[in-house]
Amino acid sequence: MSREINSLKSFHTFGIDARAYQITIAETAEALCQAWHASQQAGRPFLLLGEGSNVLFLENYAGIVAINRLKGIQISEESDAWHLHVAAGENWHSLVEYTLDKGLAGLENLALIPGCAGSAPIQNIGAYGVEFNQVCAYVDVLNLQSGETTRIDAQDCQFGYRDSVFKHRYREGYAIVAVGLRLNKAWQPVMTYGELTRLDPATVTARDIFASVCQMRRSKLPDPRVTGNAGSFFKNPVVNVDLAATIAAEFPQMPRYPQANGQVKLAAGWLIDQCALKGYCLGGAAVHRQQALVLINQENATGQDIVALAHHVRQRVGEKFNVWLEPEVRFIAAAGEQDAVEVIA
């Protein structure tokens, strides 16, 4: 179905009152292709959304928005693993709950991450020591022009920190229609972050980790159904060892996580908090009072309110720590996506 000149407010979690030329709810791959062809024939941009949990509309969108609502979960079994084929429009958190209800462990650290399954590989979503690439077997990608679907094995997805081939080669003219997951039967709990470190590895269950993750996220992150937001607004910066050591010399309590490549990941939320920015407001936008990493639509914010606030946060952190934050959120202008760093620089 489609609605002409319709509000996008209910289709993205920031809840900003931007509008699109047309919105199509796509429940099949054919509907996705039809929406894309309609945009090409009209000479208008095309945008694919799942639950809109990682986008910021800077202004009204001049093109056609297709809302991916492809559904279905299939499970198969091997001697050492469970295999899931998940349609892209399935809600991610509901998928995590579904697997636990079926007795399948492995996704529990990724509980309560907003969005659809099809968005997970784009960002290579991650939380509490686990990233999507660790459970991914493949991603099915639809060529919107030809209608053909190609299966891309995990090793060819070019997964990185909040990055993948789907942000680059498959960014335009393609749609993720399904993901394949592999959950090992020999389950190993990951308890390296936050309250998880207090759990007993000898007795812990996947349900215990799930419950702890949900409690942590709900205590820190605002519910987008109540307060518009896109979750973590900035990526956790990865810096060289020397810069991390320089900052740690002045702030020994700074959280830091050594990476396999010899660099160090810092906590963006902590850096922002050290600049005393919790609760800081610009226009209708604000830094969340409980979690500085989250920017919120506090009072009828516009996209430009959020941009101005993000610029201010980036400048303050850069001036204090010489660390320049990059948005995790995608910035959408009238004609399509823009480079978020350039917009807030």
Side-chain angles (χ1 to χ4, degrees), residues 13-307:
T13 58
F14 251 123
I16 289 170
D17 196 13
R19 304 181 77 80
Y21 170 73
Q22 181 178 313
I23 297 173
T24 296
I25 312 298
E27 298 179 348
T28 65
E30 291 76 16
L32 289 173
C33 291
Q34 289 169 6
W36 184 85
H37 281 288
S39 73
Q40 302 306 294
Q41 291 168 4
R44 291 185 175 273
F46 175 84
L47 178 65
L48 179 66
L49 286 184
E51 294 184 1
S53 60
N54 199 48
V55 297
L56 172 66
F57 286 99
L58 306 181
E59 55 194 338
N60 290 337
Y61 184 66
I64 293 176
V65 177
I67 309 297
N68 189 332
R69 289 294 178 262
L70 277 65
K71 300 291 186 178
I73 302 172
Q74 300 169 15
I75 300 176
S76 59
E77 181 181 3
E78 290 184 347
S79 59
D80 61 345
W82 298 96
H83 295 269
L84 287 81
H85 179 85
V86 184
E90 292 286 347
N91 176 270
W92 178 262
H93 179 68
S94 295
L95 171 66
V96 175
E97 290 185 305
Y98 175 85
T99 58
L100 291 173
D101 288 343
K102 294 288 186 181
L104 316 183
L107 300 182
E108 55 281 345
N109 292 61
L110 303 177
L112 276 182
I113 293 180
C116 292
S119 303
I122 300 173
Q123 285 288 105
N124 188 24
I125 60 172
Y128 299 104
V130 175
E131 290 190 331
F132 177 80
N133 64 284
Q134 296 169 255
V135 296
C136 179
Y138 59 80
V139 177
D140 286 350
V141 176
L142 173 68
N143 183 316
L144 293 168
Q145 181 172 9
S146 68
E148 296 179 354
T149 298
T150 300
R151 178 159 294 178
I152 303 173
D153 291 334
Q155 61 265 29
D156 297 320
C157 291
Q158 298 176 20
F159 288 123
Y161 176 59
R162 301 299 173 265
D163 197 24
S164 70
V165 71
F166 309 107
K167 283 190 171 183
H168 306 285
R169 179 181 174 187
Y170 295 104
R171 176 174 156 178
E172 303 289 342
Y174 295 88
I176 293 173
V177 291
V179 298
L181 306 179
R182 185 183 192 277
L183 303 181
N184 292 323
K185 291 184 176 180
W187 177 66
Q188 292 292 327
V190 178
M191 303 181 297
T192 53
Y193 283 75
E195 299 296 321
L196 299 181
T197 59
R198 301 180 183 180
L199 298 175
D200 183 353
T203 59
V204 71
T205 66
R207 278 282 182 187
D208 294 334
I209 291 177
F210 172 83
S212 185
V213 168
C214 288
Q215 191 278 327
M216 285 188 287
R217 291 186 72 92
R218 286 181 173 133
S219 69
K220 296 178 181 179
L221 302 175
D223 185 342
R225 294 171 296 184
V226 178
T227 304
N229 73 91
S232 300
F233 192 89
F234 295 101
K235 299 176 184 178
N236 286 321
V238 179
V239 303
N240 62 54
V241 173
D242 291 340
L243 178 55
T246 298
I247 300 172
E250 184 176 355
F251 300 93
Q253 76 279 22
M254 177 185 71
R256 51 198 183 277
Y257 308 96
Q259 303 297 290
N261 59 7
Q263 295 185 299
V264 180
K265 183 189 294 184
L266 307 182
W270 183 89
L271 296 171
I272 298 168
D273 194 15
Q274 298 310 298
C275 297
L277 287 170
K278 280 183 178 175
Y280 183 85
C281 302
L282 265 178
V287 179
H288 187 50
R289 293 184 182 277
Q290 279 71 50
Q291 172 51 274
L293 190 53
V294 178
L295 304 188
I296 62 173
N297 177 358
Q298 180 166 270
E299 188 175 358
N300 299 318
T302 66
Q304 293 306 314
D305 288 343
I306 303 291
V307 167

